[in-house]
Amino acid sequence: MSLAFAIRDFPSETERREKNLSNYDEIGDAVSHKVGVIGGDGIGPAVIAEGLKVIEAAGVNLEIHNYDLGGERYLRDGTVLPDSVLEEWRDLDVLYLGAVGTPDVPPGIIERGLLLKMRFELDLYINLRPFIVTGDENNDGHDFMVIRENTEGTYAGEGGFLRKGTPQEIATQGSVNTRHGVERCIRYAFQLASTREQQHLTLVHKTNVLTFAGDLWERTFHMVGEEYPNIETTYNHVDAACIYFVENPQRYDVIVTDNLFGDILTDLGGAISGGIGLASSANLNPEKTSPSMFEPVHGSAPDIVGTGKANPTAAILSGALMLDFLNENEAAQKIEKACADPKTQSGTTTEIGDAIAAQV
Ligand code: ATP
């Protein structure tokens, strides 16, 4: 079963060349890709080391720029994400991140100051997460993808406190949904669906309760859908989608949804498709006006640091997504195939990485 990432064909090779988006030279030889590597905290550095090992084994040339960022760095000298580093990143092709966050740093500092700042400043408006559910006697194995809007919604930070700490305290947290933001996300999802065999796209929202944002999402979904008459479309409320994820994920091909619903739904997707150690993700700027970022879905897992129990496969598959995005399609496919082989999936962090690298 192939993950059929499909971003390998999006935009098409011709479009990439026309728009000068490719990293290939005139005769088609791959050049070295400039990668910013943020190992981060906890198990992050260990799983990224395995990812880089596998990419090297696949014969892809990377020019690596290491960045020491995350919770540990913050505790050391208060640095989260300096603007100067963001500027440096604009010259890179992609970013490859392990995990950031440590239990000693108060919630929000690294999430908002590093991860969300990265998404907003680099305009990584697509969060793409592929899933594979293995088959049983009733169903064949199946792969599907969730496209989560990555820069707006409740994550935009609208809101605040009034009379904080008093009995009359008020806290508000708004959801920001712009026509521009919603439309570009939905358009990406339709384009992605059009490259896949099933040609099916589901909008997930909560239009019966979130009547303003939901209305904008639904209207935009139908409007863009008119440009894709071959794509069959469905709408699911997010609560129903949670049931279908568990009971019948085969009904899905590509799903598009807002930031918060996508965050929750993709953790559920990880749980039904082999667990957190396998879940990969891409934070994309499809127009390549800034580097896209690739990371495993899991966090820094402080409970297993240094035990060798961290499965590096999620990081390795995120590396395959990164190669796919860089047009290193053959290498990406080889890695994906090696990760899907049960023979590579036992042992310590390093043993799993070695087994995948050997197969590649
Ligand atoms: P975050 O908020 O950053 O997501 P978290 O502690 O909520 O952090 P994780 O760090 O993903 O979430 O850890 C959740 C659980 O999954 C932990 O028990 C952890 O050990 C386990 N886990 C996470 N990643 C892996 C992995 N690659 N291999 C094996 N177990 C993992």
Side-chain angles (χ1 to χ4, degrees):
M1 167 70 52
S2 159
L3 277 181
F5 288 141
I7 57 171
R8 61 175 63 103
D9 296 315
F10 175 66
S12 71
E13 185 61 26
T14 321
E15 278 175 301
R16 281 186 202 281
R17 285 179 187 281
E18 276 172 7
K19 292 180 184 166
N20 200 21
L21 294 176
S22 172
N23 252 333
Y24 279 67
D25 65 19
E26 281 306 301
I27 52 166
D29 294 333
V31 296
S32 180
H33 307 286
K34 283 195 240 172
V35 183
V37 174
I38 307 127
D41 301 309
I43 64 170
V47 295
I48 286 297
E50 299 309 313
L52 292 173
K53 180 196 288 175
V54 169
I55 291 172
E56 196 187 344
V60 177
N61 212 1
L62 300 183
E63 181 187 309
I64 290 173
H65 301 252
N66 279 303
Y67 289 91
D68 173 19
L69 295 170
E72 298 284 343
R73 172 76 192 269
Y74 172 75
L75 289 174
R76 226 169 40 241
D77 65 8
T79 300
V80 182
L81 176 54
D83 289 341
S84 57
V85 169
L86 262 175
E87 278 316 303
E88 275 177 45
W89 284 353
R90 292 186 195 281
D91 288 331
L92 300 176
D93 296 316
V94 283
L95 294 160
Y96 190 32
L97 185 143
V100 287
T102 50
D104 309 342
V105 179
I109 292 179
I110 301 299
E111 291 82 354
R112 289 214 80 85
L114 180 54
L115 288 175
L116 291 189
K117 186 171 175 185
M118 203 187 261
R119 289 176 188 173
F120 295 151
E121 293 292 328
L122 302 177
D123 205 16
L124 308 177
Y125 68 87
I126 296 296
N127 189 303
L128 179 148
R129 296 187 180 180
F131 299 102
I132 294 182
V133 281
T134 47
D136 56 24
E137 67 274 15
N138 300 316
N139 286 306
D140 288 336
H142 176 68
D143 80 277
F144 66 101
M145 293 196 183
V146 176
I147 299 298
R148 158 186 170 193
E149 201 293 320
N150 214 22
T151 54
E152 298 191 344
T154 41
Y155 290 60
E158 192 207 55
F161 292 107
L162 195 60
R163 300 190 285 270
K164 190 174 179 184
T166 71
Q168 291 78 31
E169 176 167 354
I170 300 169
T172 62
Q173 194 91 52
S175 176
V176 175
N177 297 264
T178 68
R179 172 59 180 266
H180 170 70
V182 171
E183 185 175 334
R184 65 183 181 171
C185 176
I186 288 176
R187 201 171 282 286
Y188 181 90
F190 269 104
Q191 255 180 288
L192 176 62
S194 73
T195 65
R196 289 168 56 87
E197 203 183 322
Q198 270 184 268
Q199 303 266 308
H200 190 275
L201 180 64
T202 304
L203 170 66
V204 170
H205 210 281
K206 186 74 183 169
T207 53
N208 53 345
V209 176
L210 306 182
T211 49
F212 309 122
D215 189 79
L216 175 60
W217 274 83
E218 207 162 28
R219 267 185 293 123
T220 310
F221 186 67
H222 292 309
M223 185 200 76
V224 178
E226 282 176 18
E227 296 169 34
Y228 294 87
N230 296 331
I231 306 286
E232 197 189 331
T233 57
T234 310
Y235 169 78
N236 286 166
H237 288 320
V238 65
D239 38 355
C242 290
I243 297 173
Y244 300 145
F245 258 51
V246 175
E247 292 188 346
N248 184 18
Q250 282 76 11
R251 69 194 292 142
Y252 294 119
D253 180 23
V254 180
I255 292 169
V256 63
T257 190
D258 90 343
N259 210 336
L260 179 59
F261 296 145
D263 190 1
I264 298 166
L265 215 46
T266 51
D267 268 20
L268 183 57
I272 60 163
S273 58
I276 196 81
L278 301 182
S280 58
S281 82
N283 296 268
L284 302 174
N285 175 307
E287 288 78 24
K288 298 193 174 176
T289 54
S290 50
S292 294
M293 191 269 269
F294 299 80
E295 58 171 339
V297 168
H298 61 73
S300 55
D303 53 330
I304 56 168
V305 179
T307 63
K309 286 186 187 155
N311 187 342
T313 308
I316 294 170
L317 282 171
S318 303
L321 278 173
M322 181 169 84
L323 295 189
D324 215 25
F325 190 72
L326 292 168
N327 274 345
E328 298 283 2
N329 313 133
E330 207 181 305
Q333 271 167 329
K334 273 197 232 162
I335 295 173
E336 186 192 316
K337 195 157 162 260
C339 291
D341 183 343
K343 287 203 287 291
T344 64
Q345 289 299 310
S346 62
T348 62
T349 309
T350 320
E351 284 164 356
I352 295 175
D354 285 345
I356 294 170
Q359 274 218 15
V360 162

